[in-house]
Amino acid sequence: MAHTNLWSSENHALGYLAIADTIPHRTEGEKVLLELVPKTARNILDLGTGDGRLLSLLKINTPELDDSLLHIVKGRFDVVVSSFAIHHLTHPRKRSLYAEIFDLLNDGGVFCNLDINQTETPLK
């Protein structure tokens, strides 16, 4: 089966944005993620967080974050964040991506991935 990137479709992206706020436990996950990101973080790599919601929350939560650093920056990062994106990748690509992320982090840097995990049995 050929891989199709549905996210390049405007209708698919708008459909997601219409329901994004209804994702169960999204705000709780964002709260935990924000607690894990050091308030002193200055350069953050947004890795597929989509609509900018998480990056906006991080900007509010990290007072030392300079607006100029919200653009694509080459180099190393204090923080790499991803939200609801990595689960779309194949397992081999996920493994290689995690290694790439590790190589991008400054010493003491953190990677935070807010994503969906589906269990085999219902959680209680």
Side-chain angles (χ1 to χ4, degrees):
M1 177 160 99
H3 176 72
T4 302
N5 181 2
L6 298 175
W7 294 102
S8 62
S9 159
E10 181 178 350
N11 286 337
H12 186 78
L14 290 173
Y16 167 77
L17 291 175
I19 63 159
D21 287 336
T22 66
I23 296 172
H25 309 291
R26 179 179 182 167
T27 56
E28 292 94 334
E30 290 168 339
K31 182 178 183 289
V32 170
L33 188 145
L34 291 172
E35 291 170 358
L36 295 172
V37 172
K39 301 260 188 249
T40 57
R42 294 201 42 115
N43 49 346
I44 298 174
L45 174 63
D46 175 343
L47 184 63
T49 65
D51 61 0
R53 171 185 167 134
L54 184 57
L55 196 55
S56 294
L57 292 172
L58 284 164
K59 184 177 175 196
I60 293 167
N61 200 53
T62 52
E64 293 186 35
L65 185 63
D66 181 345
D67 284 347
S68 66
L69 295 172
L70 295 177
H71 305 288
I72 296 175
V73 178
K74 291 184 179 180
R76 300 178 66 82
F77 300 89
D78 299 322
V79 179
V80 175
V81 294
S82 186
S83 178
F84 302 109
I86 294 177
H87 71 269
H88 292 288
L89 302 176
T90 64
H91 292 314
R93 180 60 185 123
K94 289 175 195 173
R95 282 189 287 278
S96 65
L97 178 62
Y98 292 144
E100 292 169 34
I101 291 167
F102 181 79
D103 289 341
L104 290 173
L105 288 171
N106 288 321
D107 290 340
V110 296
F111 167 51
C112 297
N113 180 27
L114 176 60
D115 216 330
I116 297 170
N117 287 306
Q118 187 172 7
T119 62
E120 295 284 328
T121 57
L123 298 175
K124 297 189 187 227

